[in-house]
Amino acid sequence: MKPLPSGLFIAATLITFGWSQFATAQTTPPDFDLKVSVQKAGDAFQVNASFLIPATECQTYTMLTDYESAAKIPGIKKSVVISREANKVRVERDVKERILFFPINLHSIVEYEETPTNLLTFHQISGDVEYYRGTWKIQPEEGSARLQYQSEFAIDTLIPSFVAQYFIKNNIRSRFEAMATNFSRKKETLGQLACN
């Protein structure tokens, strides 16, 4: 059975994907203005999300491109930069999750193209989904920064589509909540040095 990507890998995927040191969060304070949508289009899923954090564009970009810290996220067992050439970075990830009784083991190599300090585009080079691609955009907004995430991916799995869709919709929101919370907490330590 082919594995299904976790909500994190999608996002990141979910997760993942350039997100630094998530913390578990049950709710999102209103000032994060979190919006998440997951749509199914044929065999593919489309994910759109945005949230606001109290950090500068540079701080936010620094945190977003801290790829290896994603290994601290529950479910991600490995997140390693395996190559860096000019503005292209390849990251190898291993994800282990579970959907009901179905174990999820996902291996992937994703290439990011960095455009400092406001854009990341990415696509899967190899891995356990048919394809995975998308963007992260950073938009300054009145002393804060808005992160906008968009991705599209297709899976090849024996897990029923409605089960996968339920898992993705419910998991991905909690991952973005955690990301918003942690970015807000970590902005001084992770973003300050690179942006002075």
Side-chain angles (χ1 to χ4, degrees):
M1 175 172 61
K2 279 281 202 175
L4 174 72
S6 72
L8 196 286
F9 185 78
I10 296 160
T13 349
L14 219 93
I15 173 21
T16 316
F17 292 94
W19 302 351
S20 63
Q21 300 175 348
F22 290 49
T24 303
Q26 298 301 318
T27 59
T28 301
D31 58 341
F32 288 152
D33 191 28
L34 175 65
K35 296 178 178 70
V36 179
S37 78
V38 179
Q39 302 292 325
K40 194 156 186 329
D43 293 334
F45 287 90
Q46 296 174 337
V47 178
N48 289 280
S50 72
F51 58 90
L52 197 64
I53 59 170
T56 66
E57 177 181 311
C58 179
Q59 288 172 326
T60 304
Y61 181 81
T62 299
M63 291 184 284
L64 192 63
T65 55
D66 185 13
Y67 306 106
E68 295 192 346
S69 67
K72 297 181 180 180
I73 302 165
I76 296 186
K77 302 304 179 185
K78 176 183 178 182
S79 182
V80 178
V81 173
I82 57 172
S83 71
R84 186 181 292 271
E85 185 177 337
N87 67 332
K88 293 185 178 179
V89 181
R90 290 191 178 185
V91 179
E92 183 176 12
R93 292 243 166 93
D94 289 326
V95 174
K96 291 187 178 182
E97 292 273 6
R98 180 172 292 275
I99 302 178
L100 301 176
F101 301 109
F102 298 98
I104 308 304
N105 296 301
L106 176 69
H107 177 81
S108 66
I109 295 175
V110 175
E111 182 174 273
Y112 295 86
E113 185 172 346
E114 301 177 340
T115 305
T117 55
N118 57 17
L119 177 65
L120 281 179
T121 60
F122 57 85
H123 67 280
Q124 177 181 269
I125 299 295
S126 64
D128 295 324
V129 295
E130 289 184 34
Y131 65 85
Y132 172 70
R133 59 182 174 249
T135 60
W136 278 102
K137 295 179 182 177
I138 302 170
Q139 179 68 45
E141 195 169 304
E142 297 180 6
S144 297
R146 181 172 298 278
L147 280 121
Q148 297 174 314
Y149 171 86
Q150 179 278 325
S151 71
E152 182 178 350
F153 62 94
I155 59 177
D156 180 13
T157 179
L158 297 177
I159 297 173
S161 178
F162 73 92
V163 174
Q165 191 168 3
Y166 176 84
F167 177 82
I168 291 164
K169 283 185 175 180
N170 285 277
N171 246 20
I172 198 147
R173 183 172 186 89
S174 68
R175 300 306 171 107
F176 281 114
E177 288 173 354
M179 186 178 188
T181 299
N182 201 55
F183 271 19
S184 183
R185 289 177 183 161
K186 297 290 185 182
K187 67 169 184 159
E188 297 300 327
T189 56
L190 288 179
Q192 196 69 27
L193 292 176
C195 298
N196 284 338

